[in-house]
Amino acid sequence: MIIANWQAVLSFALILFLLVPMGRLSPAYRLTVLLAMVLVALIPMSTGLTLAGLLRGLTDDLAITTIVWLAAAATIKLGYLPPISFTTRWPLWLCFATLGLVLYPAALGLGMIDTYRWGYSPRVLLIVMAGLTVVFCLMRNTLGVMLLTLSTLAFMVDLKPSANYWDYLLDPFIVIFCFVAPVIALLRERRPIAVET
């Protein structure tokens, strides 16, 4: 599917761009680096797959929420948006970590309820996500609203090959990130600041 291939290229390019140190490069040079990462993603391998296709073969398609979050991080790194504040980040970490706890233990067979099945006829799930979107809206958490709204719209137009709403909302990477990121943030806050003498 062409859309899926472009999704893989975009995911690969964004991840690579966020991993490359930029130093004091200007926004224009940073944008050039991002465009170069798109070209790197399209490099063909001997197997006939591109580098992006190889990554997709290892990880499957990323959730729309992960791609939107990566795009937001890349926009910040490009200098077009200010960094996301802690008060904006922690509700997102809590939201997606909780969703991960609802989905993945049951998907791994821990429990009697198959929560993954909820994604095939997601009326209740859509209502819950609409409620969470309203909460993010009231909190003025623009990123949270974008994550849930764009993933729901993508589901409505069948942007991914999957027919399950969970696949648009979550992947293991965003859930792991939402468990690890708060720990890293707390450790950074508790790190003693060196006093110059």
Side-chain angles (χ1 to χ4, degrees), residues 13-116:
L14 289 172
I15 291 167
L16 209 55
F17 174 72
L18 291 171
L19 291 175
V20 172
M22 293 289 148
R24 296 185 181 185
L25 288 178
S26 68
Y29 281 114
R30 290 177 185 220
L31 184 57
T32 304
V33 171
L34 177 57
L35 294 174
M37 295 307 160
V38 172
L39 295 176
V40 169
L42 294 170
I43 293 174
M45 306 292 288
S46 60
T47 58
L49 289 172
T50 60
L51 284 174
L54 182 64
L55 178 68
R56 184 180 178 221
L58 295 172
T59 64
D60 200 11
D61 289 324
L62 297 180
I64 299 300
T65 49
T66 303
I67 294 171
V68 173
W69 209 324
L70 288 171
T75 307
I76 291 165
K77 191 169 183 176
L78 287 167
Y80 300 136
L81 284 177
I84 301 169
S85 67
F86 180 78
T87 54
T88 299
R89 285 180 285 160
W90 76 260
L92 298 175
W93 295 334
L94 180 63
C95 172
F96 287 97
T98 304
L99 288 173
L101 286 175
V102 169
L103 174 64
Y104 286 113
L108 295 171
L110 304 174
M112 301 296 290
I113 301 170
D114 182 9
T115 54
Y116 187 72

Side-chain angles (χ1 to χ4, degrees), residues 114-186:
D114 182 9
T115 54
Y116 187 72
R117 193 182 328 168
W118 298 351
Y120 287 111
S121 298
R123 288 180 189 169
V124 175
L125 206 50
L126 286 167
I127 291 168
V128 171
M129 292 307 117
L132 279 172
T133 305
V134 170
V135 170
F136 282 135
C137 203
L138 294 173
M139 294 174 72
R140 296 182 180 173
N141 191 322
T142 308
L143 182 56
V145 172
M146 285 179 59
L147 289 168
L148 296 179
T149 302
L150 292 176
S151 61
T152 302
L153 287 174
F155 173 72
M156 297 291 187
V157 298
D158 290 327
L159 196 61
K160 286 170 61 97
S162 173
N164 192 300
Y165 184 44
W166 281 116
D167 294 329
Y168 291 78
L169 284 175
L170 290 181
D171 58 45
F173 305 104
I174 195 170
V175 174
I176 291 167
F177 171 76
C178 289
F179 277 105
V180 172
V183 175
I184 293 171
L186 286 172

